[in-house]
Amino acid sequence: MNDEKVEILLVEDNPHDAEMTIRSLKKVNLANRLIHLKDGEQALDFIFAKGMFADRQIENKPKIVLLDIKMPKVDGIEVLRQIKLNDTTKTIPVVIMTSSKEEQDIIISYDLGVNSYVVKPVDFESFAKAVSQLGLYWLITNQAAG
């Protein structure tokens, strides 16, 4: 995929949750410029143009990162921390989408600058609606910084 066209970076290790997210975004025509990565290490490589994404232009930032917390290699909290601490990437909106309702995860996420924290609904219909609303808001309604 041409990185210049990436609008949504979905970082989700659960294939079922990733498929539901992508399907929900397709229903509202927002999945054409989506890249799905399966762990935090891949996400950091993509965002910072390293490793297998070293030929990518770091300035071509996604419009939004949909990020799970509990992932292999590098967890979502650390991905969020690195995004928000870097001057080049700190303005990228990051939405945590997780099954974790742990108060500590919520507090740490907001302390690090997460833009939104969403607990994944259990049933598909609620999940699909939540993802569609997130996509429409962050890609259509929200005015992002440069």
Side-chain angles (χ1 to χ4, degrees), residues 28-59:
V28 290
N29 298 315
L30 295 177
N32 294 338
R33 297 178 179 169
L34 177 144
I35 187 168
H36 170 221
L37 301 174
K38 295 172 179 66
D39 63 57
E41 183 178 77
Q42 288 180 343
L44 289 171
D45 282 353
F46 180 85
I47 290 163
F48 295 108
K50 301 184 303 186
M52 64 189 256
F53 300 104
D55 60 343
R56 201 179 84 69
Q57 297 298 312
I58 194 169
E59 298 80 20

Side-chain angles (χ1 to χ4, degrees), residues 7 11 26-27 32 34 67 77 91 103 107 121 124 139:
E7 291 186 338
V11 188
K26 279 183 179 176
K27 281 187 177 181
N32 294 338
L34 177 144
L67 182 63
I77 297 290
T91 60
E103 187 72 18
I107 291 168
F124 176 75
L139 294 178

Side-chain angles (χ1 to χ4, degrees), residues 84-102:
K84 294 301 183 178
L85 287 176
N86 184 287
D87 285 338
T88 304
T89 59
K90 68 183 178 185
T91 60
I92 299 171
V94 177
V95 175
I96 297 283
M97 287 182 35
T98 183
S99 54
S100 174
K101 293 181 183 179
E102 294 178 37

Side-chain angles (χ1 to χ4, degrees), residues 10-27 31 34-38 66 97 120 124 127-128 131-132:
L10 172 62
V11 188
E12 172 62 70
D13 65 316
N14 180 313
H16 178 70
D17 286 355
E19 182 182 327
M20 284 197 319
T21 301
I22 293 166
R23 195 174 337 149
S24 300
L25 291 167
K26 279 183 179 176
K27 281 187 177 181
L34 177 144
I35 187 168
H36 170 221
L37 301 174
K38 295 172 179 66
L66 302 178
M97 287 182 35
K120 296 177 190 172
F124 176 75
F127 184 82
V131 168
S132 296

